[in-house]
Amino acid sequence: MAKEGFEKLVDIMAKLRGEGGCPWDKAQTHESLKPFLIEEAYEVIDAVDAENPEILKEELGDLLLQIVFHSRIAEEEGRFSINDVIEKICDKMIRRHPHIFGEVKADTPEEVLKNWEDIKKEEKDFSSYAESMDRLPEQLPALMKAFKVQEKAARVGFDWDSVDGALNKVYEELQEIQEVYKSEKSEKIKEEIGDLLFAVVNVARFLKVDPELALRDATKKFVKRFKYVEEEAKRQNKDLSKMTLEEMDILWEQGKNKEKKF
């Protein structure tokens, strides 16, 4: 059934892109589809967070459509087809799981990851660990990229002994910002802010927290609390833009206290 459904999707895309097909679909390129691919991936993440299987099912379908779409364009250009894509990932999964499909022993997730990285390093012909860091996608969100760079360094032992060392580094970087923030050296300030964020990512890694998701949740929480401030100000017939910071902060704390009651 899965095979029939997948083939149906591939046929639909071929028709949309073919003679007499949809003008919009026919006009798309790999470049024009990039924003949609990113958007659909994030919508899958939102669906996972919502813990709603119906929404997740729909969003996974939308993401799958993007893969089929890109593959169809490549096939029209004579480069590869969806079958090549599937064969490529099947070969990769077998090759990178020698503890399942071969004779290698790996009993823990950590051992599996080490094997994966070693095999990947060999496949990509990386001459050094630094090169594997350089080859991370440029379009990765900055927090995610910092996390992955730190993981790669940690796998060869370049890491703090404990989270305490990582926390001390955060305090050190914060002190350096305090030393330069009043200056007019914008590049130096940017550098120190970057160092602080990188240090915070290290703490998150030690505590097994995804910094990208943590910051997203914190932003969502901020918006929720600000919404309360705005709505409460409106209820009190106050113009938010004319309120003092102290007045708004009182409403902010009210909103926080209401959250704690639930």
Side-chain angles (χ1 to χ4, degrees):
M1 183 64 184
K3 180 180 178 182
E4 293 175 2
F6 185 74
E7 289 175 347
K8 182 179 179 181
L9 177 60
V10 172
D11 289 342
I12 288 172
M13 180 50 62
K15 186 170 184 178
L16 291 173
R17 291 277 301 182
E19 186 177 349
C22 172
W24 186 88
D25 289 290
K26 291 171 67 174
Q28 301 313 304
T29 65
H30 290 304
E31 188 69 25
S32 70
L33 288 174
K34 279 169 31 178
F36 300 103
L37 181 59
I38 294 171
E39 180 181 346
E40 297 300 351
Y42 280 113
E43 288 185 359
V44 168
I45 293 174
D46 283 345
V48 171
D49 290 346
E51 297 182 347
N52 186 316
E54 285 301 312
I55 296 176
L56 180 57
K57 179 172 63 176
E58 178 181 352
E59 297 303 342
L60 285 171
D62 290 344
L63 183 58
L64 178 59
L65 174 64
Q66 290 299 310
I67 296 169
V68 172
F69 209 148
H70 279 279
S71 299
R72 179 62 194 180
I73 293 172
E75 185 173 1
E76 292 168 0
E77 296 171 348
R79 296 164 63 195
F80 59 82
S81 70
I82 187 64
N83 290 329
D84 297 318
V85 172
I86 295 171
E87 184 177 354
K88 190 82 171 177
I89 189 59
C90 287
D91 289 345
K92 179 188 290 186
M93 294 304 289
I94 292 171
R95 191 170 59 251
R96 293 193 184 178
H97 288 80
H99 54 292
I100 301 298
F101 301 102
E103 304 299 325
V104 174
K105 185 176 175 59
D107 297 324
T108 67
E110 290 75 21
E111 289 175 332
V112 171
L113 282 175
K114 185 180 184 306
N115 286 340
W116 180 283
E117 283 297 318
D118 289 343
I119 295 168
K120 184 176 179 180
K121 184 172 180 287
E122 185 177 339
E123 288 174 355
K124 303 290 185 181
D125 194 27
F126 293 145
S127 60
S128 67
Y129 287 99
E131 185 181 356
S132 72
M133 296 176 186
D134 275 337
R135 295 277 290 275
L136 285 168
E138 285 296 325
Q139 299 303 317
L140 272 181
L143 290 178
M144 187 183 299
K145 190 167 186 177
F147 190 90
K148 287 183 175 294
V149 164
Q150 291 170 6
E151 277 188 325
K152 289 178 180 293
R155 288 194 187 110
V156 293
F158 192 75
D159 202 4
W160 302 105
D161 292 331
S162 70
V163 68
D164 294 327
L167 278 169
N168 289 336
K169 189 63 176 177
V170 170
Y171 299 140
E172 177 186 323
E173 298 298 348
L174 183 59
Q175 179 63 41
E176 291 183 8
I177 290 175
Q178 291 174 326
E179 291 171 1
V180 303
Y181 83 95
K182 291 184 179 179
S183 73
E184 296 182 358
K185 300 176 181 179
S186 59
E187 282 302 312
K188 183 62 177 175
I189 293 171
K190 183 179 75 171
E191 177 185 343
E192 297 301 344
I193 291 290
D195 289 346
L196 175 61
L197 291 172
F198 194 84
V200 170
V201 170
N202 235 336
V203 173
R205 181 176 58 83
F206 264 98
L207 299 179
K208 302 188 185 308
V209 171
D210 185 321
E212 196 75 32
L213 298 181
L215 181 57
R216 188 186 67 173
D217 289 346
T219 302
K220 188 183 299 183
K221 180 171 63 177
F222 178 90
V223 172
K224 180 182 178 182
R225 290 177 179 174
F226 191 83
K227 182 179 180 181
Y228 174 86
V229 171
E230 190 171 27
E231 290 177 346
E232 187 62 19
K234 185 176 181 181
R235 192 185 68 81
Q236 296 178 14
N237 294 317
K238 294 180 178 179
D239 185 339
L240 191 66
S241 64
K242 295 180 180 178
M243 292 175 65
T244 65
L245 178 58
E246 289 74 17
E247 290 173 322
M248 286 189 282
D249 196 49
I250 290 173
L251 298 183
W252 179 273
E253 291 299 322
Q254 287 178 6
K256 282 179 62 176
N257 291 333
K258 283 182 178 291
E259 289 177 11
K260 293 176 182 178
K261 293 180 181 178
F262 294 100

